[in-house]
Amino acid sequence: MSFCGLKLGAIKQNLTALSGGDWCRALAVAGLVLYAVCVLVSNPAGQSTAFLNSLIFRRHGRYLYTNTDITDLVFGIATSASTWKTRRNYIEGWWRPNITRGFVFFDVPPKEYLPWSSISPPYRVSENVSRFQEFNKHAMPFAIRMVRVIKETFLEAPKGVKWYVMADDDTVLFLDNLVEILSKYDHNEYYYIGCNSEAVGSNADHSFQMAFGGAGYALSYPLAKALARNLDECIKRYPNLYGSDHILQACISDLGVSLTLEPGFHQIDLHGDISGFLSAHPHSPIISLHHLDYTNPLYPAMNVFQSLKLFMNVSRVDSSRLLQQSICYQKKNNWTFSISWGYSALIYEDILPPSHLERPLQTFVPWRNNYRAPAFMFNTRYPTNNPCEAPHFFFLDSVEQKTGGYEIVTNYVRKWDRRLPACSKTGNHSADSLSRIRVISPAKRYDGGEGKRRECCDIVRIYGGSDITEIKLRSCMEDEIIA
């Protein structure tokens, strides 16, 4: 008799001392282990390895569950025939044809865009919601259609979906980071995952417990199923709520579920130059960006979509480090370097502590002009002409993988002169001569985020007689003090 032909009775004899519930759980786990061994014995080595790689179990409450991958997600995106011409550029920047699953939902049939592009998500036309008018005099009637995209996505989705991700048509998503974040949570439980607005006023007007829809949010399968069953009746209960995301939050709260905050979702309720915000990103993987029509292009001297293309290209090289901040010092000249990987590199002509540099430089303005202080959900630093506190700004120019594939090099170049004297209190060591910063990082995903430290960095060299500085990222040593 082969090993795989052994009966589970032999295992059962060793489990008789367990209580009924414990015995069942132990028997189930033993069965899975036996099945895995059978696959190893009876399949070619390559197939067995692939199978075992898929069986990565995590303990969460009373469940053992496998890792999430991109095929476990379905996306529902609300759009309209009037906005698709420009908004498709955002969606096609992150959508992966034949890999990602989901739909864009139009208000009317998109006849002017047929035949439909193969690089866009499949489209559907939303159900007519005029029947809601008799009980809902909503200030934004299209909000009803938008919130019902959740139900329509659930009804259209194939079987086996773990997560339903909702976003606007001008939302940019970073899929590998999204999958990594969702893998932390048990999709068998009720989860509503997203983030609130960067603007205090927006949260106060709607809800601090609401995931803003432009930033996007994720619903676990049981929660999406419960919402689909109850959504239309819930809409009737809240005729006075303004936005689709606020209606949704109320309906989810009715089901006894609260928001799980993930700071990588970004509504971007900010205007103007958001480089200060992106150069001091929260210590969490970036998951989304929204409202890029209302901000300056991400990189200087480009238009919105040129800069977005560069940003997405660098994210494909290493999305795990994108915007992650590393801080290091060149003590000889009293310089501080703050690297926002894949985006910017800042030099200060003084030794500034990490607690200071983690606060975004307020290069942006609030979403509304009539805001009440405090304006933002985070502390900021005001721009200054003090030469010891005003940074030299460098922005990403290129990214390359070095020969051998073990390292990635990102190059940052100065886009404008600082036009300030040197910092006199630290010895007048001006950084004006530097025009390029090379950052070398490992060619492997950065295991950052919750419970992890930022990466440390070293000034490898400042080339003598040259205008180039080279910096290398590395894991921090035990008990290492960055400053």
Side-chain angles (χ1 to χ4, degrees):
M1 178 184 291
S2 70
F3 180 80
C4 293
L6 289 174
K7 296 181 180 179
L8 288 177
I11 299 174
K12 181 178 178 181
Q13 291 177 0
N14 295 319
L15 300 172
T16 53
L18 297 174
S19 64
D22 291 338
W23 183 87
C24 291
R25 283 190 288 273
L27 184 60
V29 172
L32 280 171
V33 172
L34 182 60
Y35 176 56
V37 174
C38 290
V39 171
L40 273 174
V41 172
S42 59
N43 288 284
Q47 295 179 14
S48 300
T49 302
F51 171 80
L52 288 179
N53 285 341
S54 70
L55 285 178
I56 302 174
F57 295 106
R58 299 187 182 201
R59 188 74 183 174
H60 186 91
R62 60 189 180 90
Y63 289 102
L64 288 168
Y65 55 101
T66 57
N67 272 357
T68 298
D69 65 41
I70 192 63
T71 62
D72 296 317
L73 279 57
V74 165
F75 297 88
I77 304 160
T79 190
S80 68
S82 62
T83 61
W84 182 250
K85 183 176 181 179
T86 55
R87 298 293 176 82
R88 64 183 293 182
N89 293 302
Y90 290 116
I91 297 173
E92 290 174 354
W94 61 264
W95 186 259
R96 298 177 185 175
N98 302 316
I99 298 175
T100 38
R101 301 191 295 176
F103 312 93
V104 288
F105 288 85
F106 281 85
D107 49 349
V108 296
K111 297 178 181 178
E112 62 269 43
Y113 302 110
L114 300 180
W116 191 249
S117 172
S118 61
I119 62 173
S120 293
Y123 79 87
R124 298 289 187 269
V125 179
S126 293
E127 182 184 342
N128 189 322
V129 296
S130 60
R131 62 188 175 88
F132 289 92
Q133 293 178 3
E134 62 186 64
F135 58 81
N136 195 314
K137 307 296 183 183
H138 205 277
M140 286 198 320
F142 61 86
I144 302 301
R145 180 182 76 87
M146 292 177 68
V147 75
R148 291 189 81 256
V149 165
I150 299 160
K151 178 175 182 177
E152 294 178 334
T153 301
F154 183 84
L155 295 176
E156 289 274 3
K159 293 182 179 180
V161 175
K162 296 178 181 178
W163 296 97
Y164 293 80
V165 181
M166 304 294 141
D168 284 0
D169 57 1
D170 59 342
T171 304
V172 178
L173 293 169
F174 300 87
L175 298 180
D176 293 335
N177 292 347
L178 174 60
V179 168
E180 189 171 275
I181 288 294
L182 294 181
S183 293
K184 299 191 308 182
Y185 301 99
D186 187 350
H187 60 274
N188 298 292
E189 301 284 5
Y190 282 61
Y191 273 108
Y192 167 45
I193 300 173
C195 198
N196 44 36
S197 170
E198 298 83 5
V200 172
S202 296
N203 295 315
D205 290 344
H206 299 285
S207 173
F208 284 88
Q209 299 303 316
M210 182 183 91
F212 275 66
Y217 50 84
L219 309 172
S220 61
Y221 172 80
L223 180 54
K225 182 179 179 180
L227 279 170
R229 288 177 174 173
N230 297 281
L231 190 59
D232 288 350
E233 287 302 313
C234 181
I235 291 172
K236 296 178 184 179
R237 291 197 296 272
Y238 297 103
N240 299 318
L241 295 183
Y242 182 71
S244 59
D245 39 14
H246 201 178
I247 297 171
L248 171 79
Q249 184 268 332
C251 296
I252 290 176
S253 183
D254 287 351
L255 291 167
V257 180
S258 299
L259 174 64
T260 297
L261 286 169
E262 280 290 348
F265 289 93
H266 295 302
Q267 175 74 5
I268 307 295
D269 277 347
L270 311 169
H271 277 298
D273 176 9
I274 60 172
S275 63
F277 176 75
L278 298 180
S279 296
H281 188 269
H283 188 203
S284 181
I286 178 174
I287 302 170
S288 68
L289 289 174
H290 182 232
H291 278 155
L292 297 182
D293 283 347
Y294 298 91
T295 67
N296 294 357
L298 296 175
Y299 300 105
M302 296 183 180
N303 65 35
V304 172
F305 294 114
Q306 287 172 335
S307 65
L308 181 59
K309 182 178 180 180
L310 176 58
F311 197 70
M312 298 307 291
N313 284 342
V314 73
S315 78
R316 293 183 185 98
V317 175
D318 186 356
S319 64
S320 68
R321 283 187 176 79
L322 188 61
L323 299 186
Q324 295 303 296
Q325 187 181 29
S326 296
I327 298 166
C328 49
Y329 302 91
Q330 209 271 339
K331 297 292 182 69
K332 179 180 179 181
N333 292 329
N334 291 311
W335 288 349
T336 300
F337 290 79
S338 174
I339 309 299
S340 176
W341 194 94
Y343 182 68
S344 68
L346 279 59
I347 303 177
Y348 297 85
E349 294 180 6
D350 195 2
I351 302 299
L352 301 178
S355 59
H356 180 75
L357 300 176
E358 289 170 355
R359 296 165 58 188
L361 193 65
Q362 193 177 318
T363 57
F364 43 85
V365 297
W367 184 250
R368 297 178 180 175
N369 292 328
N370 59 344
Y371 74 94
R372 302 181 300 276
F376 309 109
M377 295 289 291
F378 46 85
N379 298 119
T380 63
R381 296 177 285 139
Y382 288 110
T384 176
N385 286 326
N386 182 336
C388 300
E389 296 182 11
H392 299 258
F393 265 100
F394 297 71
F395 289 92
L396 181 79
D397 179 63
S398 64
V399 59
E400 58 185 298
Q401 194 147 350
K402 294 186 73 174
T403 304
Y406 297 108
E407 294 177 328
I408 297 170
V409 177
T410 47
N411 293 288
Y412 307 81
V413 299
R414 185 190 294 272
K415 294 295 184 180
W416 57 78
D417 293 332
R418 193 175 69 143
R419 296 181 181 178
L420 291 173
C423 175
S424 58
K425 78 172 188 178
T426 59
N428 291 306
H429 298 294
S430 173
D432 285 346
S433 64
L434 295 180
S435 63
R436 181 177 295 269
I437 298 173
R438 288 164 46 89
V439 176
I440 302 171
S441 57
K444 61 180 182 179
R445 283 188 68 81
Y446 165 55
D447 184 19
E450 184 179 355
K452 302 291 184 178
R453 301 173 71 181
R454 297 185 187 275
E455 285 187 303
C456 289
C457 56
D458 297 311
I459 314 299
V460 178
R461 62 176 64 86
I462 297 178
Y463 291 94
S466 177
D467 57 356
I468 301 175
T469 296
E470 190 170 280
I471 296 173
K472 193 165 188 175
L473 302 187
R474 58 171 174 81
S475 298
C476 295
M477 295 178 287
E478 185 177 0
D479 298 331
E480 180 176 359
I481 303 298
I482 297 175

